[in-house]
Amino acid sequence: MVRSMSMEQPVCLWPVGTELGEGPIWHGASHSVYFVDIRGRQVHRCAPDGSQRQSGNAPGRAGFIVPAAATLNSVVPAPRRHSAGTQVRSVATGGSENLGPRLRGGDGGDGGAGFIVGLDDGLYHFNEQTGAFSPLRHIEADLPNNRFNDGFAAADGSLWFGSMDVGETEPTGSLYSLHPGGRLTSVDSGYIITNGPAMSPNGKTLYHTDTLARNIYAFDVLPDGTATRKRLFVATAGPGHPDGMAVDADGSIWVAMFRGARIDRYNPAGELTGTIAFPVSNITKLAFGDADLRTAFVTTAWKGLSEDERAREPLAGALFAFRTDTPGLAQHTISLQDIA
């Protein structure tokens, strides 16, 4: 019998009401949580207790956000249709200001280099100090009905991310890896909705989700970064579909279940070892953070809920948190020099 995990129950940090919250990360440099609202076209940030809330508009559907390293000076931006800055509202003060003036810090090792964000048409640099988005690399120019979805930064400096069909009907999505030095590889294809790339603590196993098929796959990661030997890791059980995920320091895989109102935890052998229930249906992703990496920050969504369901789930789209027995893995950065 699968047991409920013995830890604190999830609490709402911020009833932000994202239509499709996604991509939480722990940003050590500012001691804060960043996440996106894909359909709301926003980037959000708050302190680990839910205070110091700030929100800014993105010039497209932001599928993921990861912290950048180095400077933009060595990057040659790809020509694109637009490059936009945006003003944001500070929820804490009620005023209008840029997202980042209060977020400066040095302990995260990113040198104040901002963030890399996956938008509809490729990878962008996000300067949280000014609120500006600058195009870095255009990808899938031949697939205008695709957008980019979940992604994460690996310990070796590689970026793993997926694309998907906006209409969620066509298998036009792919899994990509962008390696130090700028090598972009299409790892796998044929997905309608890609989700949850994550990696084992030793960097040798990649996990990736085919959401609509309810399957989580594992790949071997070779020393040169090549992902090979795809195999089924877990065929998840309903209710719900596997969405984003994170791996803890023991190698357990924590999977957010969209329409499942829970997070499931699997050991490296693919055995379900626990579950934690939520008061909302659509759980999208989690990230470990705070000083000891034992707080899980969880994004949710109200996408797809009926009016009656939304009335029953007033916290749908909120940012939640709960404490864990095992710490997660540190958040890594991606060098801007490796994007162009």
Side-chain angles (χ1 to χ4, degrees), residues 136-214:
L136 294 171
R137 188 158 182 167
H138 186 40
I139 303 170
E140 292 192 348
D142 57 332
L143 295 171
N145 294 322
N146 270 15
R147 68 167 175 82
F148 289 94
N149 204 35
D150 211 351
F152 90 108
D156 66 353
S158 57
L159 176 65
W160 300 77
F161 59 100
S163 63
M164 59 170 282
D165 173 41
V166 171
E168 301 181 8
T169 59
E170 301 300 321
T172 54
S174 295
L175 171 64
Y176 291 94
S177 59
L178 181 62
H179 302 277
R183 174 169 58 94
L184 180 68
T185 302
S186 177
V187 177
D188 200 16
S189 60
Y191 296 87
I192 297 176
I193 300 177
T194 59
N195 252 312
M199 198 168 285
S200 61
N202 63 9
K204 294 182 178 181
T205 304
L206 172 75
Y207 302 101
H208 187 244
T209 299
D210 185 337
T211 293
L212 292 189
R214 291 192 170 98

